Amino acid sequence: MNFTRWSARLPGTQRRAARDDRSPVPAARAEYAQADTGSGPPDSDPDGPATRSAAPALENLSARDILGQLPALVALVHGPDHRIAYVNDAYTAAFGPRPCGAPAAEAMPELTELSLLPLMDQVLRSGTPRTVKSRKAGSGSSYTVTCTPVRRDEGKGHESGVLVYAADVTDHAEAAERLRTSESRHRETAVTLQRSLLPQELEQPDDLRIAATYQPGGTDAAVGGDWYDVITLGAGRTALVIGDVMGRGVRAAAVMGQLRTAVRAYARLDLPPHEVLQLLDGLAAEIDASQIATCAYAVHDPNEGLLVYSSAGHLPILVRDEDGTVRRAEDPTGPPLGTGGWIHTSGTIALPPGSTAVLYTDGLVERRSEDIDEGMAALERALSGAKGAPQVVCDRLMRSLDITAEHDDDVAVLVVQHPARTGARAELFHNAALDLLGGIEAAPRARAFATGVLTSWRFPTELCDLGVLAAGELVANSLQHGTPPMRLGLRRTDRRLIIEVTDGDDHLPRRRRAEPGDEAGRGISIVASIATSWGSRRTPGGGKAVWCEFALPQ
């Protein structure tokens, strides 16, 4: 204990005069010595000599008096069982009087509440002071406690002991707790906002099986802006999205929600992936120029068995084949969204039956202590051995990459499986196509082809008739307004019948009201009236595809 520090605060004592920077050090020391002895030259004040109070020498001060007047709690114990030797007034006011000579374990329960007895044993053995911060007692007060060893006086036969010095830090502890509560509430708000903006239930396309998981960062990490989505586009096609807003907290989550909503709107236009990202890039800069985001957008076409994708600064999609081989979807990759000035492009990667695709955010593979390539290699090894349903694969990847509730970054994972169907299940999925050659004579051939195919698929008569009517109208529309090459495609799944006609003209049809005297313009209206849904899109090689769907009776 530094008694000199406290002696200047006790009644009858005087704080050491501040040193005058303009006076030499010896003169300052002489003045202090004269003040201690009460003698010295008279004051230079012309009004008269100054009166000085004599400060007692340190060796004349009583340790008991000093400790007794400290605002902190002080207790002195001695011996291996920590028998009480002394407690000051502040200690008595906080915990009541304590009998001298009694073991601390029996007479000082507050030391047990503060978990100090093991610490006092350690201090007594090692002779080294120890401090613990913000320990809460049963009374509700919090203390920062320092235990200091007291050496024994061998000449007087005294045992070694421990001086317990406890400063009340209740106000600081409560302020810190309020801050933690506020931060926790803020984080919970961000997590709730982000989860509410993510899909509450993933769409499950006919040809794919999909699962996703989202793990927010640990309590010491602010919530980020990771998101994923699955969007059915019609005609059996499915859009898959994964993204990550760079930033933390509610602001990043809000930007993420706006981007996800925009992606769904752009996806309904049935544009190629690179055009969707091009639109999203401009929107991201308008939403918040200080926030940039990465995103990967892919479209699965069951007729082609491909993923057509585009990436804005995002990590590559991984595909695991049925034999365990893992492939990366490499270039093209552009800069993150919101940077502007870049023309995005699309690429393709095969997704055959029996394969699994994984889309993920950087929190899954990025670690501060290692290169991201090491994380990517670890993910590929984990995916190579991951089998089972999509949710099982999600869980296995999270475990293999050591993603826990205390992970320091958000993680989003989207697993997409193209199952290999055999037996009776495979009989529910069929494809048939006819090239439309010649002129108007292709229309009756198309109706006859559709009649034969739909009958062979054992559809009810009513559904066969509606399907043939829709196929005839779509083919007639293509023959009148389109250009070769033309093709009629029929596809059935376990849930719907899909009819699609492609041609070489890129002008998309629109539904319009035909006047009573018009001889044309009713085809699309008829299709829209009898089908469950319909739509059109431009095809990558130029031209367009017009399609309609009929839901199958369950």
Side-chain angles (χ1 to χ4, degrees):
M1 292 295 294
N2 187 355
F3 294 147
T4 305
R5 176 186 175 191
W6 291 98
S7 64
R9 292 174 170 81
L10 300 178
T13 64
Q14 179 177 338
R15 179 185 293 271
R16 176 181 299 184
R19 178 179 299 171
D20 189 346
D21 291 339
R22 294 171 296 179
S23 302
V25 173
R29 290 179 178 172
E31 181 182 356
Y32 177 68
Q34 291 167 359
D36 282 348
T37 60
S39 63
D43 197 288
S44 58
D45 190 345
D47 294 336
T51 58
R52 294 178 180 267
S53 58
L58 182 60
E59 58 269 16
N60 296 329
L61 296 176
S62 168
R64 179 181 293 272
D65 291 340
I66 295 175
L67 296 177
Q69 297 184 54
L70 291 179
L73 283 59
V74 177
L76 180 63
V77 298
H78 62 91
D81 53 354
H82 306 302
R83 293 186 302 279
I84 303 172
Y86 168 78
V87 294
N88 71 346
D89 294 342
Y91 197 104
T92 301
F95 297 116
R98 294 293 181 258
C100 291
E106 300 175 3
M108 305 177 81
E110 61 276 3
L111 298 185
T112 302
E113 295 172 357
L114 296 170
S115 302
L116 292 179
L117 292 176
L119 183 68
M120 293 164 62
D121 292 336
Q122 181 183 2
V123 169
L124 191 63
R125 290 193 306 269
S126 65
T128 304
R130 292 287 186 269
T131 299
V132 293
K133 296 183 177 180
S134 194
R135 292 283 179 91
K136 194 169 186 178
S139 62
S141 299
S142 297
Y143 299 93
T144 291
V145 185
T146 298
C147 296
T148 304
V150 178
R151 301 291 185 181
R152 66 182 179 179
D153 190 340
E154 298 180 356
K156 298 182 179 179
H158 293 165
E159 293 181 295
S160 297
V162 177
L163 181 70
V164 180
Y165 178 90
D168 191 331
V169 294
T170 304
D171 292 342
H172 297 283
E174 291 177 351
E177 181 61 29
R178 287 193 298 270
L179 179 60
R180 285 192 295 269
T181 301
S182 175
E183 291 177 345
S184 176
R185 190 178 298 114
H186 180 81
R187 183 176 183 278
E188 289 174 3
T189 300
V191 171
T192 302
L193 172 62
Q194 187 166 21
R195 288 194 182 278
S196 68
L197 295 173
L198 292 174
Q200 303 304 301
E201 184 176 355
L202 288 177
E203 299 180 30
Q204 294 292 335
D206 298 357
D207 294 272
L208 302 175
R209 294 295 175 264
I210 301 177
T213 186
Y214 168 71
Q215 175 66 55
T219 54
D220 293 336
V223 176
D226 295 14
W227 93 91
Y228 56 83
D229 210 349
V230 178
I231 309 166
T232 54
L233 301 177
R237 301 164 71 250
T238 305
L240 309 167
V241 191
I242 192 83
D244 183 4
V245 176
M246 298 180 184
R248 297 288 184 178
V250 175
R251 186 177 182 182
V255 173
M256 175 272 287
Q258 295 177 76
L259 291 179
R260 177 176 174 254
T261 302
V263 169
R264 294 191 70 87
Y266 294 148
R268 298 304 177 190
L269 301 176
D270 216 340
L271 300 172
H274 66 275
E275 292 188 23
V276 171
L277 291 189
Q278 206 71 47
L279 293 172
L280 204 60
D281 181 45
L283 180 65
E286 294 178 9
I287 292 175
D288 190 339
S290 65
Q291 295 274 8
I292 60 175
T294 64
C295 181
Y297 182 90
V299 175
H300 175 255
D301 189 336
N303 295 317
E304 302 293 336
L306 295 174
L307 274 181
V308 182
Y309 67 92
S310 186
S311 174
H314 207 78
L315 293 170
I317 300 171
L318 299 182
V319 174
R320 177 192 183 275
D321 293 327
E322 197 168 13
D323 61 0
T325 303
V326 176
R327 296 176 283 120
R328 290 190 188 186
E330 298 294 349
D331 291 337
T333 298
L337 302 175
T339 57
W342 183 267
I343 303 300
H344 292 273
T345 57
S346 295
T348 61
I349 186 170
L351 190 69
S355 60
T356 300
V358 177
L359 295 81
Y360 51 95
T361 56
D362 58 2
L364 184 65
V365 296
E366 194 171 34
R367 302 292 184 274
R368 296 179 182 178
S369 58
E370 63 184 32
D371 190 83
I372 193 171
D373 290 337
E374 298 178 19
M376 288 293 301
L379 176 59
E380 291 181 357
R381 289 192 298 270
L383 179 59
S384 177
K387 298 180 180 180
Q391 190 59 58
V392 174
V393 175
C394 270
D395 296 341
R396 178 163 182 175
L397 294 181
M398 296 287 278
R399 288 195 305 270
S400 299
L401 275 295
D402 196 26
I403 304 300
T404 65
E406 300 304 318
H407 190 58
D408 62 358
D409 195 6
D410 290 19
V411 177
V413 180
L414 183 66
V415 173
V416 182
Q417 285 186 347
H418 185 187
R421 299 178 177 90
T422 58
R425 185 69 178 168
E427 292 299 317
L428 300 177
F429 292 80
H430 289 287
N431 285 287
L434 174 69
D435 291 326
L436 303 175
L437 304 176
I440 58 174
E441 66 274 12
R445 290 201 305 270
R447 287 193 293 271
F449 174 77
T451 301
V453 169
L454 298 183
T455 301
S456 68
W457 288 349
R458 300 179 182 179
F459 285 143
T461 302
E462 181 181 1
L463 181 58
C464 284
D465 293 341
L466 292 176
V468 171
L469 176 59
E473 293 296 339
L474 292 180
V475 169
N477 186 76
S478 181
L479 291 173
Q480 183 174 359
H481 302 288
T483 58
M486 303 178 186
R487 184 180 179 89
L488 168 64
L490 303 176
R491 175 174 172 77
R492 73 153 293 170
T493 69
D494 58 344
R495 286 180 269 182
R496 72 198 76 222
L497 165 66
I498 301 169
I499 302 173
E500 185 175 66
V501 175
T502 60
D503 64 55
D505 186 84
D506 61 358
H507 291 85
L508 301 180
R510 59 184 179 87
R511 185 179 180 181
R512 63 184 180 88
R513 184 186 298 276
E515 298 298 331
D518 292 344
E519 296 182 359
R522 295 181 176 85
I524 295 299
S525 294
I526 292 173
V527 171
S529 300
I530 64 176
T532 305
S533 61
W534 79 280
S536 62
R537 72 178 187 279
R538 290 186 174 87
T539 53
K544 66 176 178 295
V546 185
W547 55 268
C548 66
E549 295 181 350
F550 293 87
L552 301 183
Q554 298 299 317

